[in-house]
Amino acid sequence: MPETFVLINGAWHGGWAWRPVARHLRAAGHRVLTPTLPGLHDGDDPTDLHLSDVVDAVVDLVEREDLRDVTLVGHSWGGYPMTGAAHHLRTRLRKLVYWSAFVPARGRSLHDEIPPGYQELFADLARASDDNTVALPLDVWQAAFVHDAPEDVQRALHELMVPHPYQYFTETVEPLDAAAGIPVAYVLSREDIALPPGEYGWDRFAERLGVEPLVAPGSHEACFTAPEGLAHALLKA
C-alpha cells in the first residue's frame, strides 16, 4: 500500500540530499516530500531564526498539504525538528523513523550530546563566523561523515553544503512521551562513525527509544553512498 514519507535533512544539508533515496521510494509507489528547512537554503540569513522556526516549518508543510498517515524520517540533527513537530502532528502520523539521528532528551541540546572535541570545534567556528553558523571542515567531512565515497565525490558534496545555524545545535525540543502513542523506529548505518563508538555512539539513541536498531548499509551519508539500501531499510522500518 502506498505510504507518504516526509524526509527531514540533517545539518548542513537541504532536501536535495534525499533525492537518491526519494527516487527509490517513489519507484516503489510511495509519495515523498523532501523540504529544505529554514536557514538551510543557499543564501539564507539565519540570524533571527530558532529551532522552533524549523519545527514550525515541518508542521506547516504537513498541515498545508493535508498529509495523513505520514512517516516522518529524520537524519542526524533532523531528529530534533522531527521530534518537535511530532508533538503537533500526532494525529497525522503513522510512524517516526530516526536514521542515524539524535533522539532528544529533556533539556539536552545536540551540543550536549556530542563529544567535547566537536563541542569546541563548532563553538569556535560559530564565533569566527559573521552570522553564528558552523561550516563543517572538509577534513572532518571526509574522515567521519562520508569516508565510503571517492575523494572527488566527497569534495563535490562538500561544496553543496551550507553553514548550519549554531543555535540549532544549542536549543532544545521536548522529547516524545511514550503516552503519545506514536510508533518509532531507529535505523543505523553500519559504517557510521560520525559519532565515535562508545560513550557518544549512535547506539544510545535506539536505547533511549527502547527499540532495537535496524541496520542499513553505508556511512553517515548513506543517502548518497548507499541510497537503495537505505530506502529498503526505511521501508522495512
Side-chain angles (χ1 to χ4, degrees), residues 70-183:
V70 176
T71 297
L72 282 182
V73 179
H75 177 218
S76 197
W77 163 81
Y80 278 86
M82 179 176 76
T83 302
H87 292 287
H88 306 278
L89 297 172
R90 59 184 65 182
T91 62
R92 293 177 178 266
L93 298 180
R94 176 178 179 271
K95 179 176 280 192
L96 299 181
V97 180
Y98 294 82
W99 164 46
S100 288
F102 293 88
V103 176
R106 182 161 285 107
R108 291 183 65 82
S109 66
L110 182 146
H111 175 87
D112 299 319
E113 301 281 10
I114 59 177
Y118 276 156
Q119 292 179 347
E120 295 169 8
L121 174 65
F122 293 169
D124 288 345
L125 290 170
R127 281 193 293 267
S129 72
D130 295 328
D131 54 4
N132 197 44
T133 58
V134 177
L136 186 65
L138 175 61
D139 60 337
V140 176
W141 167 251
Q142 291 177 306
F145 286 73
V146 68
H147 51 88
D148 56 340
E151 183 176 358
D152 59 336
V153 174
Q154 294 173 338
R155 289 181 176 275
L157 292 172
H158 188 262
E159 286 291 325
L160 294 174
M161 298 195 308
V162 299
H164 199 77
Y166 184 53
Q167 63 269 27
Y168 290 0
F169 288 156
T170 59
E171 296 175 352
T172 63
V173 299
E174 282 297 301
L176 278 181
D177 189 325
I182 305 171

Side-chain angles (χ1 to χ4, degrees), residues 49-78:
L49 292 174
H50 296 277
L51 189 54
S52 59
D53 295 306
V54 183
V55 169
D56 289 345
V58 177
V59 174
D60 290 346
L61 171 66
V62 173
E63 292 183 340
R64 184 175 66 251
E65 296 291 332
D66 195 23
L67 305 179
R68 307 280 176 173
D69 203 30
V70 176
T71 297
L72 282 182
V73 179
H75 177 218
S76 197
W77 163 81

